[in-house]
């Protein structure tokens, strides 16, 4: 085999690899498109780089300051995984689905987009209570919000007569 034949084989392998790569990217974009449409957002937003993050934040109910966190190196990994978890929760999926979205997005975005998963709305407690910087005293799970005394077993007996 001479050098011309081996370069032709390498070009063919590169061409096939490029076609497979483009097919995976198109599959992922189509899955994002359908997921955005399920959430009531424009599907075309999946192909615009920063705008798709803004739409994702609207879907999961997070404030726009998260755009800043998603653009800072190293911090963006944490917030990206967090946002992905909130996305799967917004569609009623578990943490296992989040792991799938993070590791195999080209498989799990189309599953989310084309499955019978329904958009349930933002699952984050902060989103339901008013967003970033909300008052922690409005949290119903805060133990300090309960009135003093034992309210679980109220005392219905009258006080003793002296």
């Amino acid at each position: 085999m001479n050098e011309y034949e081996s370069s032709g084989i390498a070009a063919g392998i590169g061409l096939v690899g490029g076609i497979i790569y483009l097919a995976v990217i198109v599959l992922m974009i189509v899955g994002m498109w359908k997921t955005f449409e399920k959430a009531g957002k424009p599907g075309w937003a999946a192909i615009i780089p920063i705008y798709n993050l803004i739409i994702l934040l609207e879907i999961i109910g997070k404030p726009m300051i998260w755009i800043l966190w998603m653009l800072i190196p190293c911090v963006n990994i944490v917030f990206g995984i967090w946002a992905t978890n909130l996305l799967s929760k917004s569609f009623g999926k578990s943490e296992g689905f989040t792991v799938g979205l993070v590791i195999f997005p080209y498989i799990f975005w189309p599953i989310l987009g084309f499955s019978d998963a329904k958009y349930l709305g933002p699952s984050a407690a902060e989103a339901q209570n008013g967003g970033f910087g909300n008052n922690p005293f409005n949290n119903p799970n805060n133990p300090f919000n309960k009135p003093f005394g034992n309210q679980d077993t109220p005392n219905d007996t009258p006080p003793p007569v002296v």
Side-chain angles (χ1 to χ4, degrees):
M1 182 181 312
N2 63 22
E3 63 187 70
Y4 297 113
E5 290 176 357
S6 63
S7 65
I9 292 172
I13 291 172
L15 183 65
V16 169
I19 291 172
I20 291 172
Y21 175 73
L22 287 176
V24 166
I25 295 297
V26 166
L27 186 65
M28 204 169 108
I29 288 173
V30 168
M32 283 180 74
W33 188 299
K34 293 299 285 182
T35 303
F36 282 13
E37 286 181 345
K38 266 188 187 182
K41 302 296 180 186
W44 55 264
I47 59 176
I48 314 253
I50 302 290
Y51 186 61
N52 63 6
L53 290 177
I54 293 171
I55 296 299
L56 179 69
L57 292 178
E58 289 177 3
I59 290 172
I60 64 174
K62 286 297 178 185
M64 288 302 129
I65 189 70
W66 275 42
I67 290 291
L68 174 67
W69 307 133
M70 289 185 166
L71 295 176
I72 297 174
C74 296
V75 176
N76 62 356
I77 295 170
V78 173
F79 277 86
I81 292 173
W82 191 357
T84 304
N85 186 37
L86 292 175
L87 177 73
S88 64
K89 294 288 185 190
S90 295
F91 281 92
K93 301 292 184 180
S94 66
E95 288 82 9
F97 198 84
T98 300
V99 172
L101 273 172
V102 170
I103 297 175
F104 301 113
Y106 45 87
I107 295 172
F108 281 84
W109 273 105
I111 288 174
L112 191 59
F114 290 104
S115 72
D116 60 347
K118 302 238 185 294
Y119 177 65
L120 305 174
S123 63
E126 297 91 357
Q128 295 168 354
N129 288 334
F132 184 78
N134 61 343
N135 186 354
F137 297 108
N138 290 336
N139 184 354
N141 297 322
N142 188 346
F144 298 110
N145 284 345
K146 294 183 180 177
F148 293 110
N150 189 357
Q151 297 296 320
D152 295 332
T153 58
N155 189 359
D156 290 334
T157 60
V161 178
V162 182

